[in-house]
């Protein structure tokens, strides 16, 4: 039998094979089709190995790259938030689906209210907070469901599995600089050991 991550990757490939490549993809339809695949993965999530559930070597939050699509359409990360750590408020410029595996992750959703689409004069307003328990799923779907912050409110590591559009290096990811009302590049860096961390780029 395939391992749980390979099965998930195969299911994502099958869904995306039914979609046009590039910007013509129907992201909402793709996510709806991916939902049962993520549910199936979560039923098998106890198979996720210990190294994919481990915090960074410095004890901080980290991603672990579990799969990268040969056609560069998506990647799969496990993301570990130790107690008290947070992603900061950021946006994802294309689709994603997140399954919650262990611990608690509080996800705060925001919406953009300044009426613009550029990176300056950006005002986000908090919409809602959800504490995700293992077995739950959320989605990233621009332009209305792309801004969030994830923070661990619990006392054990929060672990989630993210299927995100494109590859880590090309995933459109921006950090909201709340003090200066601007979006900053927040690219994923693939570090030794297939660890993945997003780092804010200041100009
Ligand atoms: Fe995110």
């Amino acid at each position: 039998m395939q391992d749980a991550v390979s099965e998930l990757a195969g299911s994502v490939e099958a869904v995306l094979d039914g979609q046009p490549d590039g910007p013509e993809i129907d992201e909402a339809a793709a996510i709806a089709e991916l939902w049962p695949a993520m549910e199936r993965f979560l039923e098998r999530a106890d198979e996720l190995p210990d190294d994919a559930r481990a915090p960074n070597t410095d004890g901080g939050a980290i991603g672990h790259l579990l799969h990268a699509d040969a056609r560069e359409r998506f990647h799969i990360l496990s993301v570990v938030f130790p107690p008290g750590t947070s992603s900061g408020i950021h946006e994802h410029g294309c689709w994603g689906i997140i399954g919650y595996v262990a611990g608690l992750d509080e996800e705060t959703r925001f919406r953009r209210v300044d009426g613009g689409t550029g990176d300056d004069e950006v005002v986000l307003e908090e919409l809602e907070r959800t504490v995700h328990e293992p077995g739950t799923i959320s989605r990233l779907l621009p332009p209305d469901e792309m801004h969030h912050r994830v923070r661990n409110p619990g006392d054990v590591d929060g672990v989630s599995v993210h299927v995100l559009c494109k590859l880590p290096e090309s995933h459109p990811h921006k950090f909201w600089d709340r003090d200066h009302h601007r979006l900053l590049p927040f690219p994923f860096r693939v570090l030794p050991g297939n660890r993945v961390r997003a780092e804010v780029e200041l100009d």
Side-chain angles (χ1 to χ4, degrees):
M1 188 169 77
Q2 275 188 318
D3 67 84
V5 172
S6 298
E7 183 188 351
L8 176 61
S11 299
V12 178
E13 285 173 14
V15 168
L16 296 180
D17 285 347
Q19 287 280 342
D21 275 340
E24 300 82 22
I25 182 174
D26 182 339
E27 296 189 315
I31 288 172
E33 286 187 58
L34 291 171
W35 212 269
M38 182 60 85
E39 288 177 330
R40 167 80 180 134
F41 173 81
L42 291 174
E43 289 170 7
R44 301 182 63 186
D46 56 344
E47 297 176 26
L48 196 65
D50 287 347
D51 55 3
R53 302 168 178 266
N56 198 12
T57 44
D58 65 4
I62 196 70
H64 301 279
L65 182 60
L66 304 179
H67 180 87
D69 178 43
R71 290 176 55 192
E72 304 187 3
R73 296 170 296 178
F74 71 97
H75 62 285
I76 303 177
L77 299 173
S78 62
V79 178
V80 182
F81 285 102
T85 58
S86 168
S87 64
I89 302 169
H90 60 275
E91 71 165 40
H92 294 262
C94 56
W95 66 270
I97 183 167
I98 304 169
Y100 296 88
V101 169
L104 298 175
D105 278 337
E106 177 195 77
E107 184 185 34
T108 306
R109 290 280 179 155
F110 298 81
R111 71 174 164 197
R112 187 164 179 174
V113 294
D114 57 83
T117 55
D119 292 345
D120 297 313
E121 310 297 330
V122 177
V123 180
L124 302 184
E125 177 181 271
E126 183 174 327
L127 275 182
E128 60 178 359
R129 292 187 187 211
T130 307
V131 177
H132 296 285
E133 298 188 352
T136 63
I137 297 173
S138 67
R139 70 179 186 180
L140 299 163
L141 180 58
D144 296 330
E145 301 176 43
M146 65 193 294
H147 304 97
H148 70 168
R149 176 185 59 217
V150 179
R151 163 186 171 272
N152 182 346
D155 51 16
V156 298
D157 292 337
V159 182
S160 51
V161 167
H162 301 224
V163 181
L164 300 175
C165 68
K166 306 183 190 250
L167 295 181
E169 300 87 343
S170 50
H171 182 72
H173 203 220
K174 294 179 182 177
F175 186 89
W176 186 43
D177 177 356
R178 181 187 290 228
D179 292 339
H180 299 95
H181 290 165
R182 60 181 178 169
L183 292 167
L184 297 169
F186 195 33
F188 285 127
R189 308 269 188 228
V190 181
L191 307 172
N194 276 333
R195 290 172 303 135
V196 177
R197 189 168 59 201
E199 293 174 358
V200 176
E201 271 180 4
L202 291 168
D203 45 18

